[in-house]
């Protein structure tokens, strides 16, 4: 009888617990339903919201969504109209009258239809951040330079297991250059594009052709750094300071053929070979035993290391290196083990920087106020920082576990953006005007020389003492056409047999001579 009573008691208790659980579950569902953010009606909703939202996290310390579909084009149109009105009163700004909407499209900015951001606090002063650029029609212009499809990150195996910072990423500079050429042609036509291309095709004093570098920079870039606290780096100066030294390694795929000829001409570099590598070693800098930079080429890829031993160590590594370390693996896996770019910074890096700054302040008291300011802005980091960039089917996704949320970046951007744009414009407009003016004058000079040469040939063949525009320019004449580029009028040109230098006046009153007098 007692056992039966116990069973009834246990059954009643179980039913009570079940009822309590059902009540708790119902309450939880009700709470979740009440706290979930309601969406506006479908008719009022941004058509891109759903696509962006699936890449973000709602409910953290920060969430932001912005539909920018058509905004770039509208901004470009307004910019064109504004510049047009200004140039009416400032003729020297006439060269800035452009179709900016079309230019922004060529650069790929119009590809972005919406932007999403989110940050979630995960404890310990760390945040899980997401940023997504929604580009449903694909990546063009400068965005095409971010690489192709995502892939596994497998370059960390070359880095030492105690590396303090590591990064690898895809790059496609020829795609970005193609977009830039379109913009240059749009702004100034062949008169600007041809000098621009000719400049990039010229060899530098070191024998490097910039255009070759651009065309070959399509592939992968890898770099990592290790602070070597057991080595001393002497910072030269009136009061030499001794701090911890470091080792670094960089590899750029495909660029060696464009750079190696230039390295061969640098007399300060000692050239040698080791296996399939051609080495270019710098002289001993006298600041640290492990800081004697060395370049290496395998005929395709270019390497740069802090010293020869570290280069050999990295290229010969077969123990898994940083890729086999628990902290690195967990940091990357939390964000996804595939993408087009990754960055990793160990807490030890910040500890080392803090020690170096402290040592600099101790050895150089007058620098103490500056050092203290830096130290105050150097946050304590207890966990690795990691970030991954990946090209998705509908855009570019940035994921990171970082020591600050994206809201601080948005606030900084909101405050600094107008100032930054103003400063950039103040620097860019005079520089662009100078480049454009120089290229125009060069084109005019070439046209004058062509006209002069045709005149000499005409006078030689006809025995006439002079040659006019009508004599030389036309579909069936010496010069098919002469296109003005700076308001000059070639139709009034006349060349006499005894003329030494042909000249012409531009729209701004400047006189250009065929032979630069």
């Amino acid at each position: 009888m007692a056992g039966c009573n116990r069973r009834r008691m246990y059954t009643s208790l179980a039913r009570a617990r079940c009822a309590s659980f059902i009540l708790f579950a119902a309450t939880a569902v009700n709470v979740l339903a009440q706290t979930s953010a309601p969406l506006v009606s479908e008719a009022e909703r941004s058509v891109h919201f759903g696509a962006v939202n699936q890449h973000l996290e709602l409910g953290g310390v920060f969430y932001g969504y912005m539909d920018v579909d058509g905004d770039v084009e509208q901004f470009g149109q307004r910019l064109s109209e504004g510049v047009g009105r200004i140039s009416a009163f400032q003729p020297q700004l006439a060269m800035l009258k452009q179709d900016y909407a079309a230019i922004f499209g060529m650069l790929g900015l119009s590809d972005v239809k919406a932007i999403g951001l989110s940050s979630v606090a995960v404890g310990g002063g760390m945040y899980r951040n997401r940023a997504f650029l929604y580009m449903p029609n694909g990546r063009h212009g400068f965005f095409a330079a971010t690489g192709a499809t995502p892939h596994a990150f497998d370059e960390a195996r070359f880095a030492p297991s105690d590396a303090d910072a590591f990064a690898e990423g895809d790059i496609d500079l020829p795609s970005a250059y193609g977009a830039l050429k379109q913009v240059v042609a749009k702004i100034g036509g062949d008169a600007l594009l041809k000098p621009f291309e000719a400049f990039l095709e010229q060899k530098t004093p070191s024998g490097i052709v910039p255009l070759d570098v651009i065309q070959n920079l399509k592939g992968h870039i890898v770099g990592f750094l290790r602070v070597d606290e057991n080595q001393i780096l002497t910072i030269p100066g009136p009061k030499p300071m001794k701090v911890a030294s470091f080792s670094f390694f960089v590899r750029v795929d495909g660029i060696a053929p464009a750079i190696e000829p230039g390295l061969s001409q640098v007399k300060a570099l000692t050239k040698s070979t080791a296996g399939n590598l051609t080495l270019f070693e710098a002289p001993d800098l006298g600041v640290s035993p492990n800081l004697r930079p060395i370049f290496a080429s395998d005929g395709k890829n270019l390497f740069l290391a802090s010293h020869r031993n570290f280069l050999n160590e990295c290229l010969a590594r077969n123990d898994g290196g940083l890729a086999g370390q628990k902290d690195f693996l967990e940091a990357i896996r939390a964000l996804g083990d595939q993408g087009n770019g990754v960055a990793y910074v160990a807490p030890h890096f910040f500890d080392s920087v803090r020690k170096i700054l402290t040592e600099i302040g101790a050895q150089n008291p007058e620098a103490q106020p500056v050092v203290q300011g830096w130290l105050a802005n150097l946050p304590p980091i207890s966990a690795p920082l990691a970030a991954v960039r990946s090209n998705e089917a509908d855009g570019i996704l940035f994921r990171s576990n970082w020591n600050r949320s994206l809201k601080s970046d948005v606030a900084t951007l909101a405050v600094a953006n107008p100032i930054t744009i103003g400063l950039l414009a103040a620097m860019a407009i005079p520089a662009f005007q100078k480049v454009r003016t120089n290229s125009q004058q060069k084109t005019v000079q070439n046209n004058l020389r062509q006209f002069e040469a045709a005149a000499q040939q005409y006078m030689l063949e006809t025995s006439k003492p002079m040659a006019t525009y009508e004599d030389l320019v036309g579909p069936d004449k010496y010069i098919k056409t002469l296109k003005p580029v700076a308001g000059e009028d070639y139709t009034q040109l006349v060349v006499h047999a005894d003329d030494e230098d042909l000249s012409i006046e531009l729209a701004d009153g400047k006189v250009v001579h065929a032979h630069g007098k």
Side-chain angles (χ1 to χ4, degrees):
M1 193 72 180
C4 184
N5 289 334
R6 288 194 196 96
R7 284 194 295 274
R8 288 183 185 141
M9 181 179 67
Y10 292 150
T11 302
S12 299
L13 182 60
R15 287 174 178 171
R17 287 176 175 173
C18 182
S20 297
F21 175 77
I22 293 174
L23 179 61
F24 170 77
T27 303
V29 170
N30 187 44
V31 170
L32 290 174
Q34 291 177 355
T35 57
S36 62
L39 294 179
V40 298
S41 66
E42 189 171 351
E44 298 174 319
R45 196 178 310 161
S46 166
V47 295
H48 306 310
F49 177 78
V52 174
N53 185 58
Q54 66 178 345
H55 294 285
L56 307 178
E57 295 179 292
L58 179 63
V61 298
F62 177 72
Y63 183 96
Y65 169 82
M66 182 166 58
D67 190 315
V68 295
D69 195 353
D71 292 349
V72 173
E73 292 86 345
Q74 289 182 14
F75 174 72
Q77 292 171 1
R78 291 172 182 170
L79 182 60
S80 297
E81 294 169 358
V83 171
R85 286 192 292 268
I86 294 173
S87 63
F89 301 97
Q90 299 289 338
Q92 65 272 26
L93 297 180
M95 40 78 69
L96 294 178
K97 292 176 59 178
Q98 301 292 336
D99 183 353
Y100 287 102
I103 291 174
F104 292 159
M106 293 172 183
L107 293 176
L109 302 182
S110 301
D111 291 342
V112 182
K113 304 302 180 184
I115 301 171
L117 307 167
S118 69
S119 293
V120 178
V122 295
M126 297 289 288
Y127 297 87
R128 187 172 63 244
N129 298 320
R130 301 288 184 271
F132 185 63
L133 302 180
Y134 181 55
M135 293 179 279
N137 299 321
R139 295 170 293 105
H140 307 93
F142 283 178
F143 288 116
T146 59
T149 56
H151 51 79
F153 301 120
D154 57 359
E155 303 294 343
R157 68 185 188 277
F158 294 108
S161 58
D162 56 350
D164 290 297
F166 170 84
E168 67 169 286
D170 298 337
I171 187 169
D172 184 355
L173 205 55
S175 294
Y177 175 65
L180 183 59
K181 281 178 58 178
Q182 282 186 298
V183 171
V184 172
K186 178 69 176 176
I187 293 174
D190 287 345
L192 184 59
L193 179 60
K194 289 183 178 179
F196 174 72
E197 292 179 312
F199 171 77
L200 293 177
E201 291 172 355
Q202 292 178 356
K203 283 187 178 181
T204 65
S206 61
I208 296 175
V209 179
L211 187 58
D212 290 345
V213 176
I214 294 172
Q215 298 292 9
N216 283 281
L217 196 49
K218 181 177 181 178
H220 214 60
I221 297 179
V222 181
F224 43 86
L225 177 145
R226 178 182 67 194
V227 179
D228 299 324
E229 295 182 350
N230 59 333
Q231 296 287 345
I232 299 299
L233 171 66
T234 302
I235 302 176
K239 294 182 179 180
M241 292 177 289
K242 297 183 181 297
V243 297
S245 188
F246 58 91
S247 298
F248 64 85
F249 175 97
V250 177
R251 191 195 78 217
V252 184
D253 293 352
I255 203 174
I259 299 296
E260 192 171 338
L263 294 175
S264 299
Q265 294 189 29
V266 179
K267 295 181 179 180
L269 299 178
T270 302
K271 184 176 181 181
S272 62
T273 58
N276 68 327
L277 294 179
T278 302
L279 306 176
F280 302 88
E281 193 169 14
D284 187 355
L285 302 177
V287 296
S288 175
N290 64 340
L291 192 58
R292 186 179 180 181
I294 183 170
F295 292 90
S297 166
D298 61 5
K300 178 182 178 182
N301 305 318
L302 184 71
F303 306 86
L304 170 63
S306 53
H307 54 98
R308 188 166 184 168
N309 290 341
F310 193 62
L311 173 69
N312 294 336
E313 173 192 335
C314 296
L315 294 180
R317 179 166 287 110
N318 56 12
D319 59 359
L322 181 64
Q325 294 304 300
K326 179 181 177 182
D327 287 348
F328 177 81
L329 291 173
E330 290 180 351
I332 301 305
R333 284 173 181 167
L335 302 173
D337 56 0
Q338 289 195 343
N340 298 91
V342 61
Y344 169 86
V345 185
H348 179 257
F349 174 80
F350 295 93
D351 295 338
S352 299
V353 172
R354 192 173 286 105
K355 289 180 182 178
I356 291 173
L357 290 174
T358 301
E359 291 173 2
I360 291 176
Q363 298 176 45
N364 194 358
E366 56 267 29
Q368 193 66 245
V370 177
V371 169
Q372 290 301 322
W374 287 343
L375 288 172
N377 288 288
L378 189 64
I381 304 297
S382 58
L385 306 184
V388 169
R389 167 180 59 84
S390 59
N391 295 329
E392 304 294 318
D394 56 352
I396 301 178
L397 176 63
F398 301 85
R399 296 162 287 178
S400 68
N401 286 338
W402 218 250
N403 64 319
R404 64 179 187 177
S405 70
L406 293 177
K407 65 180 179 180
S408 57
D409 297 326
V410 171
T412 301
L413 182 63
V415 173
N417 194 46
I419 300 174
T420 302
I421 291 176
L423 290 175
L424 290 175
M427 293 184 294
I429 290 174
F432 177 80
Q433 187 173 8
K434 182 177 180 181
V435 170
R436 182 181 176 90
T437 300
N438 290 342
S439 65
Q440 287 178 337
Q441 291 179 8
K442 186 67 175 178
T443 301
V444 172
Q445 190 177 55
N446 290 336
N447 286 344
L448 291 177
R449 291 177 180 178
Q450 183 183 9
F451 191 92
E452 193 176 58
Q456 295 297 333
Q457 184 66 27
Y458 172 81
M459 289 185 288
L460 180 64
E461 292 178 357
T462 63
S463 298
K464 292 184 177 180
M466 58 180 289
T468 65
Y469 180 88
E470 289 75 13
D471 296 327
L472 305 176
V473 183
D476 56 348
K477 297 181 180 178
Y478 295 87
I479 303 173
K480 289 185 178 181
T481 181
L482 275 181
K483 184 179 179 181
V485 295
E488 71 276 19
D489 183 7
Y490 295 109
T491 61
Q492 304 302 314
L493 286 180
V494 177
V495 178
H496 297 85
D498 57 350
D499 285 343
E500 294 183 358
D501 186 41
L502 189 62
S503 63
I504 194 170
E505 185 176 349
L506 307 184
D508 60 1
K510 183 177 179 60
V511 177
V512 175
H513 296 263
H515 301 286
K517 292 184 179 181

